[in-house]
């Protein structure tokens, strides 16, 4: 089942790359979401649908996939985000094909139960991202590609070393997650192993100061927002810290916890603050993303069950609303051929539906209770406070800064007087708006339903670090 | 389940009007919205009479979605839905013909739903849902006429300033969670009955929660958003920015009285902030020329009174003032609305005057409202304000200083209330309008509010007269032993406060009918008009520096990337340099080797 769920978007992606029409891609994205939804709803708890086949049995590498509560949640949000993108991004079939391909690789990454397989997907997902940037990006795309590659490689090589070291030093017979967890690395080596992971994952969180690739990445990507939405899903650092880096080398994490909490708090505040000065939509969303990932990372780094649960839920939720906002920016670009915030004004009058959708997305992003951003933020707060009251207070200043940048942008674009009229929601934008709002509200009102599968994992995580209930 | 329905009914109205309102003809959206609030009111009353109710559903791990209808929340529910219903009805007339008619009522119903969530919550996170929800409703309604950039700015300002308080609320929750492992109000109440776990940290939590109240209730120093909030349509000012939402901070303190009763220092701070705010609001009201802004500053001032009462420990008295204030302040706003309506949108009191003969009913609404605010004996405002004055002397956290300060503010209140009335209704006509009285749909709510403004005070008369309110609320509030004054002293004080109010009213009535004012007053007025420059000081000291820093960080972030590439370049240069070191001479290698060892040894020792 899991393998099917991973292969389905990859298969559709390949078909589209061969030149089949875009509509097929929408179908693929829809089927993928339905399958993922089914997997989520029928998830029995524990690691479900596990499969395991030898890849390099001599080296202890296995094709191992499985769906735990965490993966199931991300399957759902990834499926949803991709469908949202497929519905509205008016791009050619091949572009959508790359997006589907990437989403399949991301699903693989979230379902991997073998460290090397995870690594494989983690790196492979970069390829469609780069291709989308290369073929459909803006004028400065080469520089953006160069930057992204440089940052990624700077993280990947130490990570590969860390992966090999984890097995060798911990004495695990295989790279399978459960084997590795049974043989954590201890002592001095733990520090270096963790550091190797940390760099790669910090780049992909992204944490200050290695976030510098992100604004460029978003600015240069196609204005439809499709590549940005996928790029948002690719920010898997917080997940990877939780699933691999911290449990595999808890002693190493313990040594760096203070620094990481500090960087996460700085990212949260800094991102929100800088976002306030952003002149165009994508830059704004890029920095807003840094801020949110800072909060999410703070939750996981707190090492508490509440914090980890909150951080991961925030990560899952932000995939939908940040992606949704990128796609919304794409809708605006298609209408008015600009992404500059100062050049819209007063769109609410001619496009009330679009305006309402934007408000929902923005409010979810700034953590308004009742929408999907808040539960994660609250649980993060409660957990992180236990780990570090002062850094938590610092990080949560972003609550104020977030309201400032989000509402300023909303006001500039949709309120105030302006001659610019534009079309309201039309065609496929209606199901897009409906799905997005439904997701925001459901995830905000019934978070307990979505995090049920996460709870035991967060508890186990905290136990590894010597805390938890 | 029935309890949840009180919230769901107006929420349903929001969804219904938001989605299909545009297709309905006036006044259908207004009627639907009003009826839903009425239904909520009736349902709430029924549940309260049946002895209260509880509701609990799963929400987050360790944090259920729990609601509680007890006497305290029931009392607030009746104010919110009762006064809320009247203002809904008024708005049917006031908003007639507005392009955003159905949108207005959608937001209005949303507000009621969120306010009920806030009031009925039995855990702080649930209260926070309502807390931020009403903030959102306030944002949307202040910016209702969003095409005006200034109004839009006001809306945004209100939300952001409130968020400062909200951060306090959130951090306060974090401390309580860390200390007690629960955020349920009922459970915390029980947990706090024993000896306190960590008094200083608990005091910090109390202070942070109070910061939330300071933001929501526009207390000093976060009061700057409320005057600007008058940009919204007048029914919004009456419902949200006078009668209900802004009193949420007082409600928070009362709901958390089990906490604050244990924290004398924090309570003292609350009382001081309350008194300062009461004074600040009153002094700022004098210089205002916008008919609504005068009332807005008086709201800030009256909220200060409520916090003063809550701070000294007289929680039920604070709620009593919430109750009477809801009537007379809603009345003042709606009467202002009728005046604005009559003058075709005019809000400047300098262009009003002489409306006494044109508005035969609204003039009585304005008079009753102003007199109740000014504390004319026997009207509602008199009884509740007097209860606060007495409480500053009898409750444990009170003191004579609070009493004298509050008495002084009472004189000021009576004076500016009269200024408002004189400038609007008396004297000669200064504008060129053809005033017309409001339609019945706007008059009838005001009749009822006027009735309330007269009678609401009789719910809690001073000893030994009947006082049903105190025993009604008592079981839900923390017990603080108030010492009783002798009958003579108590009624002496009542006579004093009555005399003071009469003095203030008379002073205001005569002074503001003058043609020319003495120079000292003009100086004071100039300062008062700018509300003592709070906005400018904040902009200069806080807002602008923060914005500038945001710009600086933004450009700094751009160079961060260049810095990385610069670093790459440096590494390359360094590499080439090192390559040059590979000279092949053994002695150079030896030297490098020794140096390396020295460095390593140094590192290891360090």
């Amino acid at each position: 089942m899991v393998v099917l769920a991973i292969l389905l978007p990859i298969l559709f992606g390949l078909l589209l790359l061969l030149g089949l029409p875009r509509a097929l891609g929408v179908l693929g994205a829809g089927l993928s979401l339905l399958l993922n939804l089914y997997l989520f709803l029928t998830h029995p708890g524990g690691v479900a649908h596990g499969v395991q086949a030898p890849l390099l049995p001599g080296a202890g590498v296995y094709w191992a996939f499985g769906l735990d509560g965490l993966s199931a949640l991300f399957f759902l949000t990834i499926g949803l985000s991709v469908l949202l993108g497929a519905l509205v991004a008016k791009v050619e079939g091949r572009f959508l094909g790359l997006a589907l391909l990437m989403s399949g690789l991301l699903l693989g990454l979230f379902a991997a139960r073998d460290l090397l397989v995870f690594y494989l997907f983690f790196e492979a997902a970069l390829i469609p991202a780069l291709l989308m940037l290369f073929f459909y990006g803006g004028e400065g795309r080469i520089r953006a590609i160069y930057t992204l590659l440089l940052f990624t490689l700077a993280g990947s090589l130490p990570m590969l070393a860390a992966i090999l070291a984890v097995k060798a030093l911990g004495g695990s017979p295989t790279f399978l997650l459960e084997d590795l967890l049974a043989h954590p690395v201890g002592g001095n080596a733990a520090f270096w192993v963790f550091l190797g992971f940390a760099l790669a994952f910090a780049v992909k969180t992204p944490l200050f100061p290695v976030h510098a690739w992100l604004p460029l990445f978003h600015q240069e990507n196609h204005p439809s927002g499709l590549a940005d939405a996928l790029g948002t899903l690719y920010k898997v650092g917080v997940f990877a810290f939780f699933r691999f880096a911290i449990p595999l080398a808890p002693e190493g994490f313990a040594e760096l916890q203070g620094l990481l909490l500090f960087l996460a708090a700085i990212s949260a505040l800094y991102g929100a603050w800088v976002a306030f000065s952003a002149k165009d939509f994508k830059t704004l969303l890029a920095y807003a993303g840094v801020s949110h990932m800072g909060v999410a990372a703070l939750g996981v780094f707190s090492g508490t069950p509440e914090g980890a649960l909150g951080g991961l839920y925030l990560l899952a939720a932000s995939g939908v609303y940040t992606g949704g906002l990128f796609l919304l920016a794409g809708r605006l670009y298609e209408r008015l051929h600009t992404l500059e915030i100062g050049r819209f004004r007063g769109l609410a009058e001619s496009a009330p539906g679009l305006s309402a959708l934007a408000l929902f997305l923005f409010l979810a992003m700034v953590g308004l209770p009742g929408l999907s951003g808040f539960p994660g933020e609250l649980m993060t707060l409660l957990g992180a406070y236990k780990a570090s009251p002062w850094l938590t207070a610092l990080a949560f200043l972003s609550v104020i800064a977030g309201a400032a940048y989000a509402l300023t942008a909303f006001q500039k674009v949709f309120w105030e007087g302006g001659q610019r009229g534009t079309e309201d929601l039309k065609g496929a934008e209606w199901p897009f708006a409906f799905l997005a709002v439904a997701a925001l509200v459901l995830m905000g009102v019934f978070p307990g339903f979505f995090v049920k599968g996460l709870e035991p994992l967060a508890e186990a995580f905290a136990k590894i670090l010597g805390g938890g209930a | 389940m029935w309890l949840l329905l009180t919230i769901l009914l107006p929420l349903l109205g929001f969804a219904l009007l938001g989605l299909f309102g545009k297709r309905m003809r006036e006044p259908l959206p207004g009627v639907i919205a009003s009826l839903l609030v009425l239904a909520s009111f009736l349902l709430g009353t029924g549940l309260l009479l049946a002895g209260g109710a509880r509701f609990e559903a799963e929400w987050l791990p360790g944090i259920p979605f729990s609601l509680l209808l007890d006497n305290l929340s029931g009392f607030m529910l009746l104010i919110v839905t009762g006064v809320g219903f009247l203002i809904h009805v008024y708005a049917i007339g006031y908003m007639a013909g507005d392009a955003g008619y159905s949108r207005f009522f959608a937001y209005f119903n949303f507000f009621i739903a969120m306010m009920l969530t806030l009031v009925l919550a039995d855990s702080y996170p649930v209260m926070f849902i309502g807390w931020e929800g009403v903030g959102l409703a306030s944002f949307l309604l202040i910016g209702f006429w969003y095409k005006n950039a200034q109004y839009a700015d006001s809306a945004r300002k209100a939300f952001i300033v409130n968020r400062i308080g909200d951060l306090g609320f959130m951090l306060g929750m974090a401390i309580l969670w860390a200390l007690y492992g629960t955020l349920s109000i009922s459970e915390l109440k029980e947990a706090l009955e024993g000896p306190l776990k960590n008094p200083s940290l608990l005091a910090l939590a109390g202070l942070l929660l109070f910061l939330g109240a300071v933001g929501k209730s526009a207390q000093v120093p976060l009061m700057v958003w409320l005057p600007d909030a008058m940009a919204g349509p007048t029914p919004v000012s009456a419902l949200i920015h006078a009668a209900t939402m802004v009193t949420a901070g007082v409600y928070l303190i009362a709901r958390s009285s089990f906490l604050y009763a244990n924290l004398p220092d924090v309570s003292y701070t609350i009382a001081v902030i309350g008194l300062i705010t009461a004074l600040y609001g009153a002094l700022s009201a004098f210089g205002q020329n916008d008919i609504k802004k005068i009332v807005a500053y008086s709201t800030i001032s009256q909220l200060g009174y409520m916090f003063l009462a809550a701070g000294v420990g007289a929680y039920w008295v604070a709620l009593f003032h919430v109750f009477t204030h809801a009537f007379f302040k809603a009345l003042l706003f709606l009467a202002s609305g009728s005046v604005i309506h009559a003058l075709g949108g005019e809000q400047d009191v300098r262009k009003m005057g002489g409306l006494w003969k044109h508005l035969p009913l609204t003039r009585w609404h304005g008079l009753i409202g102003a007199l109740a605010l000014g504390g004319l004996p026997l009207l509602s405002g008199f009884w509740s304000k007097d209860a606060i004055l007495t409480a500053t002397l009898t409750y444990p956290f009170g003191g004579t200083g609070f009493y004298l300060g509050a008495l002084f503010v009472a004189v000021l209140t009576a004076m500016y209330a009269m200024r408002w009335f004189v400038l609007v209704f008396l004297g000669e006509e200064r504008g060129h309008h053809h005033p017309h009285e409001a339609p019945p749909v706007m008059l009838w709510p005001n009749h009822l509010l006027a009735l309330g403004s007269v009678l609401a005070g009789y719910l809690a008369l001073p000893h030994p007269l009947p006082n049903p309110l105190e025993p009604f609320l008592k079981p839900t509030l923390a017990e603080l032993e108030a010492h009783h004054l002798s009958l003579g002293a108590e009624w002496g004080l009542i006579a004093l406060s009555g005399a003071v109010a009469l003095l203030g009213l008379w002073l205001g009535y005569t002074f503001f009918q003058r043609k020319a004012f003495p120079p000292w007053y003009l100086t004071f007025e100039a300062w008062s008009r700018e509300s003592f420059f709070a906005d400018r000081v904040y902009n200069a000291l806080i807002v602008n520096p923060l914005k500038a820093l945001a710009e600086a960080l933004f450009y700094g972030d751009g160079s961060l990337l260049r810095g990385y590439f610069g670093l790459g370049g440096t590494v390359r240069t360094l590499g080439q340099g090192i390559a040059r070191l590979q000279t092949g001479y053994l002695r150079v290698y030896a030297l490098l080797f020794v140096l390396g060892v020295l460095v390593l040894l140094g590192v290891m020792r360090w």
Side-chain angles (χ1 to χ4, degrees):
Chain A
M1 271 313 238
V2 179
V3 177
L4 182 65
I6 297 168
L7 285 180
L8 183 87
I10 294 182
L11 183 71
F12 272 92
L14 290 174
L15 286 176
L16 259 68
L17 283 177
L18 290 175
L20 287 172
R22 187 182 163 281
L24 197 69
V26 182
L27 178 72
L31 287 177
S32 170
L33 173 61
L34 282 180
L35 182 54
N36 292 350
L37 182 67
Y38 171 77
L39 288 175
F40 178 81
L41 291 176
T42 58
H43 194 268
V47 181
H49 312 292
V51 284
Q52 197 169 312
L55 178 61
L56 294 169
V61 185
Y62 291 85
W63 282 118
F65 298 99
L67 211 61
D68 60 4
L70 179 59
S71 332
L73 176 63
F74 278 93
F75 266 49
L76 186 60
T77 55
I78 289 173
L80 181 66
S81 301
V82 173
L83 179 62
L84 290 179
L87 277 173
V88 294
K90 295 275 183 298
V91 296
E92 61 174 50
R94 287 195 175 81
F95 191 172
L96 187 57
L98 284 173
L100 283 172
L101 186 62
M102 182 165 169
S103 82
L105 295 173
L106 288 172
L107 293 179
L109 179 165
F110 276 99
R113 306 294 301 176
D114 180 293
L115 185 54
L116 260 180
V117 172
F118 164 79
Y119 179 74
L120 206 64
F121 279 92
F122 184 79
E123 295 298 326
L126 183 65
I127 297 166
L130 287 173
L131 290 178
M132 280 193 273
L133 189 53
F134 181 73
F135 285 114
Y136 304 100
E139 282 173 7
R141 60 180 184 274
I142 300 302
R143 183 158 172 259
I145 289 173
Y146 179 55
T147 313
L148 175 58
L149 261 179
L150 221 64
F151 273 83
T152 310
L153 288 181
S156 293
L157 296 177
M159 177 177 160
L160 190 58
I163 289 176
L164 300 176
V166 158
K167 176 167 174 283
L169 299 175
S172 161
T174 67
F175 281 104
L176 288 171
L177 187 57
E178 60 253 45
D179 283 341
L180 291 173
L181 283 175
H183 302 86
V185 183
N188 257 341
F191 174 79
W192 296 103
V193 166
F194 181 76
L195 196 66
F197 281 117
L199 202 58
F201 295 157
V203 168
K204 282 285 188 327
T205 299
L207 275 186
F208 178 88
V210 289
H211 68 283
W213 60 275
L214 187 70
L216 203 58
F217 172 79
H218 284 310
Q219 284 156 3
E220 294 302 334
N221 251 314
H222 191 261
S224 68
L226 181 60
D228 302 285
L230 266 300
T232 302
L233 297 175
Y234 196 19
K235 294 195 283 186
V236 295
V238 173
F239 162 80
F241 269 115
F242 174 83
R243 166 135 307 162
F244 298 105
I246 298 177
L248 294 185
E251 289 175 32
F253 168 68
E255 281 185 56
L256 279 172
Q257 188 180 16
L259 176 69
L260 287 171
L261 281 169
F262 176 73
L263 289 179
I266 292 292
S267 303
L269 180 59
Y270 177 85
W273 206 335
V274 173
F276 184 78
S277 282
K279 305 290 179 287
D280 72 289
F281 246 107
K282 285 199 171 180
T283 315
L284 176 96
L285 294 175
Y287 285 109
V290 172
S291 173
H292 283 98
M293 289 307 103
V295 175
L298 190 76
V300 168
F301 294 156
S302 76
T304 58
E306 306 97 317
L309 183 129
L312 292 168
Y313 195 61
L314 190 60
L315 179 67
S318 82
V320 180
Y321 59 69
T322 310
L325 278 166
F326 273 119
L327 293 166
L328 182 97
R331 303 293 76 219
L332 291 174
Y333 184 85
E334 191 183 273
R335 287 167 166 79
L336 299 162
H337 308 291
T338 179
L339 283 173
E340 223 176 289
I341 291 167
R343 292 186 51 194
F344 294 103
R345 272 180 214 277
L347 298 187
E349 197 178 17
S350 50
L354 203 61
S355 156
L357 172 64
L359 191 60
F360 264 104
L361 289 166
F362 269 124
L363 290 172
M365 185 165 81
V366 301
L368 191 90
L371 297 179
S372 60
F374 178 69
E377 203 175 279
L378 178 71
M379 296 310 281
T380 296
L381 169 77
L382 299 182
Y385 174 83
K386 290 182 181 170
S388 169
W390 290 110
L391 287 177
T392 304
L394 185 74
F396 274 80
L397 284 173
S398 66
V399 163
I400 303 167
Y405 73 70
L407 292 185
T408 305
F410 177 77
Q411 175 187 342
K412 290 259 161 65
V413 175
F414 292 99
W415 284 6
E416 301 193 359
Q419 286 77 43
R420 297 197 89 153
T422 191
E423 273 180 293
D424 202 4
L425 294 174
K426 57 179 189 234
E429 288 169 4
W430 280 108
F432 164 73
F434 176 79
L435 267 179
V437 171
L440 301 182
V441 172
L442 289 176
M443 286 185 78
V445 176
F446 305 105
F449 175 71
F450 293 94
V451 299
K452 217 178 293 162
L454 236 63
E455 274 183 76
L457 299 176
E459 293 285 350
F461 170 77
K463 204 169 257 164
I464 291 177
L465 294 172
Chain B
M1 204 60 215
W2 287 106
L3 188 55
L4 188 65
L5 202 59
T6 57
I7 297 173
L8 289 182
L9 283 172
L11 203 58
L12 175 77
F14 164 66
L16 213 61
L17 296 175
L19 289 173
F20 310 112
K22 281 223 150 157
R23 292 184 209 149
M24 298 179 193
R25 292 221 334 240
E26 271 183 45
L28 188 60
V31 173
I32 293 178
S34 306
L35 287 178
L36 285 169
V37 177
L38 183 65
S40 200
F41 172 78
L42 295 174
L43 185 59
T45 314
L47 289 173
L48 194 60
L49 289 175
R54 263 183 187 284
F55 174 80
E56 193 162 299
E58 187 200 0
W59 190 42
L60 275 167
I63 306 174
F65 183 90
S66 49
L67 302 175
L68 168 67
L69 182 75
D70 59 3
N71 285 357
L72 176 57
S73 55
F75 178 71
M76 289 297 285
L77 177 138
L78 295 185
I79 298 177
V80 171
T81 51
V83 176
F85 168 67
L86 294 179
I87 299 175
H88 267 72
V89 173
Y90 178 92
I92 292 177
Y94 190 86
M95 296 307 292
D98 193 286
Y101 192 81
S102 65
R103 184 165 56 95
F104 178 88
F105 283 100
Y107 293 166
F108 236 35
N109 263 3
F110 176 71
F111 169 76
I112 296 283
M114 287 299 119
M115 191 68 202
L116 289 178
T117 310
L118 191 164
V119 164
L120 293 172
D122 190 32
S123 87
Y124 286 111
V126 177
M127 190 188 273
F128 195 69
I129 300 177
W131 192 266
E132 289 247 301
V134 292
L136 171 64
S138 165
F139 165 78
L140 290 170
L141 284 161
I142 295 169
F144 182 72
W145 289 309
Y146 54 78
K147 275 180 264 177
N148 183 324
Q150 214 181 337
Y151 292 2
D153 279 340
S154 302
R156 186 167 51 123
K157 177 176 171 185
F159 197 86
I160 295 171
V161 173
N162 263 294
R163 273 256 158 159
I164 300 175
D166 293 354
L167 176 62
F169 196 128
M170 292 175 89
L171 292 174
M173 287 197 284
I175 295 180
L176 290 176
W177 176 261
L179 280 176
Y180 292 96
T182 175
L183 289 173
S184 151
I185 295 176
S186 302
E187 285 173 26
L188 281 168
K189 196 173 180 174
E190 278 172 34
L192 274 163
E193 271 164 10
L196 301 184
K197 274 189 181 166
N198 185 340
S200 55
L201 199 55
L202 201 62
L204 183 62
L207 209 57
L208 285 167
L209 281 181
F210 173 59
L211 179 61
V214 166
K216 191 63 67 195
S217 297
Q219 298 294 291
V220 173
L222 296 181
M223 67 295 176
V224 287
W225 65 271
L226 187 59
D228 288 14
M230 297 301 121
T234 306
V236 175
S237 314
L239 178 60
I240 300 182
H241 304 121
T244 56
M245 183 187 86
V246 287
T247 63
V250 185
Y251 176 72
L252 171 65
I253 305 292
R255 188 39 103 188
S256 316
S257 60
F258 62 89
L259 174 65
Y260 290 101
N262 285 314
L263 304 172
D265 293 342
V266 178
S267 292
Y268 184 79
T269 313
I270 294 174
V272 170
I273 294 277
L275 184 59
I276 291 175
T277 309
L279 185 65
Y280 172 83
L283 290 175
S284 300
F286 279 92
Q288 306 305 318
N289 288 323
D290 183 313
I291 182 172
K292 284 171 69 183
K293 283 211 173 164
I294 303 173
V295 189
Y297 277 104
S298 95
T299 304
I300 293 181
S301 173
Q302 296 298 307
L303 290 166
Y305 266 122
M306 297 171 202
F307 278 99
L308 175 61
V312 300
Y315 306 110
W316 77 268
V317 177
L319 291 163
F320 180 33
H321 200 55
V322 168
F323 181 63
T324 60
H325 177 257
F327 285 102
F328 65 74
K329 192 51 63 69
L331 179 63
L332 274 173
F333 266 120
L334 294 188
S336 303
S338 294
V339 169
I340 295 168
H341 190 258
L343 301 180
E346 182 60 66
Q347 295 197 188
D348 192 333
V349 288
R350 285 168 300 189
K351 294 178 188 152
M352 293 180 183
L355 294 177
W356 183 257
K357 58 180 175 292
H358 293 294
L359 304 175
L361 292 166
T362 297
R363 65 187 186 196
W364 292 108
H365 301 149
L367 183 62
I368 292 172
L371 290 176
L373 168 65
L376 183 78
L378 305 183
L379 295 190
S380 65
F382 171 75
W383 296 117
S384 58
K385 202 175 296 175
D386 183 70
I388 295 175
L389 287 169
T390 312
T392 57
L393 293 176
T394 55
Y395 273 83
F397 308 141
T400 325
F402 287 133
Y403 179 80
L404 293 175
L407 199 65
F408 177 60
V409 175
V411 185
L412 295 177
T413 308
M415 286 177 71
Y416 73 72
M418 271 300 111
R419 173 176 177 268
W420 178 85
F421 180 74
V422 166
L423 289 179
V424 175
F425 290 100
L426 304 184
E428 58 202 53
E429 289 177 50
R430 293 182 296 273
H432 307 281
H433 305 283
H434 302 285
H436 53 92
E437 184 56 284
V441 70
M442 290 164 67
L443 287 171
W444 273 99
N446 283 0
H447 292 335
L448 292 176
L449 288 173
L451 200 66
S453 303
V454 176
L455 297 179
Y458 293 87
L459 212 55
L461 292 173
H463 185 73
L465 300 174
N467 176 357
L469 184 65
E470 189 179 354
F472 178 76
L473 291 175
K474 207 97 202 220
T476 58
L477 299 169
E479 289 270 3
L480 278 174
E481 209 45 58
H483 66 89
H484 277 284
L485 296 172
S486 73
L487 216 56
E490 177 151 7
W491 283 90
L493 289 175
I494 290 172
L496 179 62
S497 83
V500 157
L502 286 171
L503 173 75
L505 289 170
W506 178 75
L507 277 176
Y509 179 75
T510 50
F511 187 73
F512 291 106
Q513 295 203 43
R514 285 178 160 198
K515 293 275 181 293
F517 295 108
W520 65 264
Y521 180 76
L522 292 176
T523 315
F524 161 71
E525 195 185 33
W527 279 71
S528 167
R529 182 168 305 132
E530 297 292 332
S531 33
F532 305 92
F533 300 94
D535 262 319
R536 290 197 205 180
V537 170
Y538 285 1
N539 279 336
L541 291 185
I542 301 170
V543 179
N544 292 337
L546 286 181
K547 276 187 188 169
L549 200 53
E551 288 288 324
L553 287 176
F554 183 71
Y555 287 105
D557 196 77
S559 36
L560 185 64
L561 196 57
R562 284 195 288 284
Y564 278 116
F565 285 125
L567 200 69
T570 317
V571 170
R572 196 183 312 138
T573 332
L574 217 69
Q576 284 162 358
I578 290 170
R580 223 170 288 140
L581 281 180
Q582 299 184 349
T583 51
Y585 291 113
L586 199 60
R587 58 173 184 272
V588 178
Y589 290 141
L591 179 69
L592 286 174
F593 176 74
V594 171
L595 276 176
V597 168
L598 281 177
V599 169
L600 267 180
L601 279 175
V603 168
M604 280 163 75
R605 283 203 51 149
W606 177 68

